[in-house]
Amino acid sequence: MPSLDVLASPVPMGRFDSPVDHRHVLCLHLGAPVPVTYRAGRVERCGTRLHGQFCVVPAGSSTRWTLSSPATSLLLRLAPSVMQEAAESHGVASGEPLPAIHIRDAQIERIGWLMQAEADAGYPARRLFADGLAWSLAARLLALQSRASTEAKRALPEWRLRRVIEYIDAHLDQDLALDELAGVAGFAVSHFKPLFKNATGMTPHRFVMQRRVEHAQAQLRDGRARITEVAHATGFAHASHMARCMRQVLGVTPAQVVASRRS
């Protein structure tokens, strides 16, 4: 079994369970942004997959995905033995990676593109090149996991985060303020900002904008309100403001969302 291989895989629209693999699998998203729902065990997350972001699926496990449109993933499949040996060499007891989603890391992206280029060229460097990248990938995963574990201890508790998200969703049509959200969470603003970012990977401002965009997209697909009405209902200053934010987050305009509903 190779220490690391790569595969470009189409991902269908709708709900599906990822195949169980005996290797650790990193799924790098390729192409335009795609809103997704992701479930691993009893934990469910929603968000938008962006080009270069990746998720981690440990060996022997499966994840449930719901995609609003077809997508393509670059699968990096890493032998568990490499991960374990890397962990032992770093003095870490376990080399089992934790499930993760919507991670962005320049070094892992670079490993992915290098492996893709090597595969496209027919693996001219043979196993030596892939083995080196496998060890680099394992070491980087361990480093990210260690950092994430440290940050998780300083993250907003799950029940407080859920309370804040529910408040945001219920008040999207209003001008939400940072001290208002901090009050809902029960923290001072200075503490709330880093705790929220560690829990979600985004600043409060960015998170609110993404929720506005996701709700606006759902309403536009529903088709019962005009673009200007949707913009005001989801807290945007005007339709042009909504269009600009939607293009930043999803890579499409409100008009394109409406057109896709009609096609």
Side-chain angles (χ1 to χ4, degrees):
M1 179 178 67
S3 57
L4 179 66
D5 68 7
V6 65
L7 173 69
S9 174
V11 185
M13 181 174 65
R15 176 172 293 182
F16 74 99
D17 294 329
S18 63
V20 176
D21 200 299
H22 60 278
R23 295 158 292 190
H24 304 312
V25 181
L26 275 72
C27 310
L28 276 77
H29 179 65
L30 305 179
V34 176
V36 301
T37 300
Y38 161 98
R39 187 176 187 86
R42 302 177 64 181
V43 178
E44 186 167 279
R45 295 283 187 271
C46 296
T48 300
R49 295 201 71 183
L50 304 176
H51 182 75
Q53 284 184 335
F54 66 91
C55 67
V56 179
V57 183
S61 62
S62 178
T63 52
R64 173 162 293 178
W65 295 87
T66 304
L67 276 71
S68 61
S69 61
T72 302
S73 288
L74 187 69
L75 307 181
L76 292 173
R77 301 181 294 191
L78 178 66
S81 59
V82 175
M83 193 75 181
Q84 187 59 43
E85 288 177 30
E88 291 171 0
S89 69
H90 284 77
V92 179
S94 173
E96 181 74 13
L98 297 175
I101 184 174
H102 296 163
I103 308 299
R104 198 68 183 263
D105 181 71
Q107 292 187 38
I108 287 182
E109 279 187 62
R110 195 172 300 115
I111 292 170
W113 310 145
L114 286 170
M115 276 298 296
Q116 183 182 37
E118 181 72 4
D120 290 344
Y123 293 97
R126 301 195 180 272
R127 289 187 58 176
L128 187 61
F129 183 75
D131 286 347
L133 289 181
W135 275 90
S136 297
L137 179 60
R140 186 58 182 167
L141 280 174
L142 289 170
L144 291 176
Q145 192 160 298
S146 175
R147 187 175 70 187
S149 176
T150 301
E151 290 181 347
K153 296 175 183 177
R154 301 194 301 267
L156 202 63
E158 185 70 27
W159 68 273
R160 291 183 187 268
L161 176 63
R162 185 167 56 250
R163 177 193 289 178
V164 174
I165 293 174
E166 289 173 353
Y167 185 87
I168 290 170
D169 288 345
H171 298 82
L172 278 178
D173 60 333
Q174 301 176 21
D175 185 16
L176 294 167
L178 186 59
D179 59 351
E180 183 180 356
L181 299 182
V184 172
F187 287 97
V189 171
S190 58
H191 290 111
F192 172 71
K193 287 174 64 178
L195 291 173
F196 185 89
K197 186 172 182 180
N198 286 344
T200 65
M202 289 180 271
T203 64
H205 174 265
R206 175 72 184 184
F207 184 88
V208 169
M209 184 181 76
Q210 181 157 312
R211 298 298 279 192
R212 292 192 197 281
V213 166
E214 290 171 354
H215 281 253
Q217 183 188 38
Q219 291 186 33
L220 290 170
R221 284 180 169 165
D222 183 63
R224 286 184 286 185
R226 294 178 297 178
I227 289 178
T228 52
E229 294 171 338
V230 171
H232 290 303
T234 50
F236 293 102
H238 42 69
S240 297
H241 179 214
M242 180 176 71
R244 184 170 64 253
C245 293
M246 188 169 286
R247 194 179 298 111
Q248 290 175 358
V249 174
L250 301 179
V252 296
T253 64
Q256 288 173 316
V257 174
V258 172
S260 68
R261 185 192 76 229
R262 293 170 179 164
S263 59

